[in-house]
Amino acid sequence: MTDTASDLLARIRVHGAVPRHIAIIMDGNGRWARERHMPRAFGHRSGMKAVRAVVEASLEAGVEWLSLFAFSQENWQRPETEVSALMALLEEYIAREAAELRQQGVCVHVHGDLSRLSPPAAAAVERVRRETAGGDRLGLNLFISYGGRAELVRAARMLAEDVQAGRLSPEDIDEQSIHRRLYTAECPDPDLLIRTSGEQRLSNFLLWQVAYAELYISSALWPDFDRVALYEAICDFQRRDRRFGKVST
Ligand code: IPE
Ligand code: IPE
Ligand code: MG
């Protein structure tokens, strides 16, 4: 670890309030590649190193859940060559990292409309889930072929089915009933939502879950985001006054 990274980590530990769940919209791979006169796929490949860095930094800081937006439902509309390059990288990431993630105690969950994945990509997803099941230091949620509205539609459909089957009555539907039908039913809501590349929008990520997340926009393009950048975001989070609609204590 660099000096800066260990200083920041020490500061985070002294403060003590580490976000339990960090969500990241990993954006800017294409611009990073363009700055280097390289194809977009080169930027996506370089982004893998940043994924490794934030997973390791989260483990060290004691974050319990890390949610990464890797591929949106809307991203299927990109050119075929880019979509295939991204799917190939997903398979490569899993092939290269699954064993180490398991060793580090990371449990990988993959969420989204996985019916659209190619058979090899779907097999890779199954493999990483199986091989890392039981990891108890960090839950890593990878969102692939994911849209926040589609996730809410899915939950509404499950509720309707339960009502129709007589398992649930409409007046018993509350926020918990929705929470339990989301992909993230197992985790607390994100405390901190980071977006890289300076864009200030949610792009359909975790619409329900980020209701009270602290937002942090980093100007770094995703391949340049590293351990220090994550620790800076956590330090910034620790200076926030989270009121949840009440008055400060
Ligand atoms: C993020 O980088 C990765 C994905 C959305 C899959 P982009 O590919 O969106 O990069 P920019 O925003 O065009 O720079
Ligand atoms: C959001 O980034 C999706 C992911 C990071 C996977 P995009 O680059 O697709 O979002 P927009 O198009 O800028 O909103
Ligand atoms: Mg983008």
Side-chain angles (χ1 to χ4, degrees), residues 25-27 69-72 75 78 195 201 203:
I25 302 174
M26 310 185 288
D27 198 15
F69 200 8
F71 188 86
S72 74
N75 291 151
R78 292 189 178 193
R195 182 164 186 154
R201 54 178 171 265
S203 299

Side-chain angles (χ1 to χ4, degrees), residues 26-32 34 40 44 69-72 75 78 82 86 195 197 199 221-222:
M26 310 185 288
D27 198 15
N29 295 348
R31 279 162 281 171
W32 188 91
R34 194 175 58 212
R40 294 177 58 83
H44 296 314
F69 200 8
F71 188 86
S72 74
N75 291 151
R78 292 189 178 193
E82 179 163 352
L86 281 162
R195 182 164 186 154
S197 85
E199 304 294 0
L221 301 175
W222 178 249

Side-chain angles (χ1 to χ4, degrees), residues 18-234:
V18 174
R20 290 184 66 196
H21 183 175
I22 298 180
I24 309 182
I25 302 174
M26 310 185 288
D27 198 15
N29 295 348
R31 279 162 281 171
W32 188 91
R34 194 175 58 212
E35 282 176 359
R36 287 159 182 79
H37 309 286
M38 295 295 280
R40 294 177 58 83
F42 180 68
H44 296 314
R45 168 170 291 281
S46 305
M48 280 209 286
K49 161 177 110 300
V51 171
R52 195 172 309 126
V54 295
V55 167
E56 281 169 10
S58 297
L59 282 163
E60 266 151 16
V63 172
E64 294 167 49
W65 290 92
L66 178 65
S67 288
L68 301 179
F69 200 8
F71 188 86
S72 74
Q73 197 183 29
E74 292 77 19
N75 291 151
W76 288 112
Q77 297 165 66
R78 292 189 178 193
E80 210 311 275
T81 45
E82 179 163 352
V83 170
S84 333
L86 281 162
M87 291 298 145
L89 277 173
L90 170 68
E91 292 167 43
E92 188 181 323
Y93 173 74
I94 291 171
R96 276 169 45 173
E97 308 279 324
E100 186 162 359
L101 290 166
R102 177 203 177 97
Q103 217 176 20
Q104 292 168 321
V106 178
C107 179
V108 180
H109 307 267
V110 185
H111 305 301
D113 179 7
L114 305 181
S115 69
R116 297 183 73 175
L117 297 190
S118 68
V125 165
E126 273 323 303
R127 179 180 154 207
V128 75
R129 280 176 169 161
R130 194 175 57 241
E131 291 185 6
T132 65
D136 59 3
R137 288 186 63 212
L138 175 72
L140 174 61
N141 294 321
L142 297 180
F143 288 85
I144 292 163
S145 185
Y146 170 86
R149 287 186 172 178
E151 179 182 31
L152 289 168
V153 167
R154 178 177 170 270
R157 215 170 262 157
M158 289 181 199
L159 285 169
E161 280 165 8
D162 286 344
V163 169
Q164 198 174 36
R167 291 187 290 265
L168 183 70
S169 67
E171 50 285 9
D172 289 334
I173 296 175
D174 58 10
E175 294 187 9
Q176 273 306 311
S177 340
I178 295 179
H179 168 80
R180 282 197 299 270
R181 287 165 180 82
L182 298 178
Y183 293 123
T184 48
E186 273 189 76
C187 15
D189 286 339
D191 302 293
L192 174 62
L193 173 69
I194 299 173
R195 182 164 186 154
T196 58
S197 85
E199 304 294 0
Q200 305 183 41
R201 54 178 171 265
L202 293 176
S203 299
N204 204 10
F205 190 44
L206 299 179
L207 298 180
W208 173 277
Q209 297 90 330
V210 299
Y212 259 106
E214 293 298 322
L215 309 182
Y216 182 88
I217 309 290
S218 163
S219 58
L221 301 175
W222 178 249
D224 292 328
F225 199 82
D226 57 9
R227 191 185 292 265
V228 168
L230 186 79
Y231 290 163
E232 281 171 347
I234 297 178

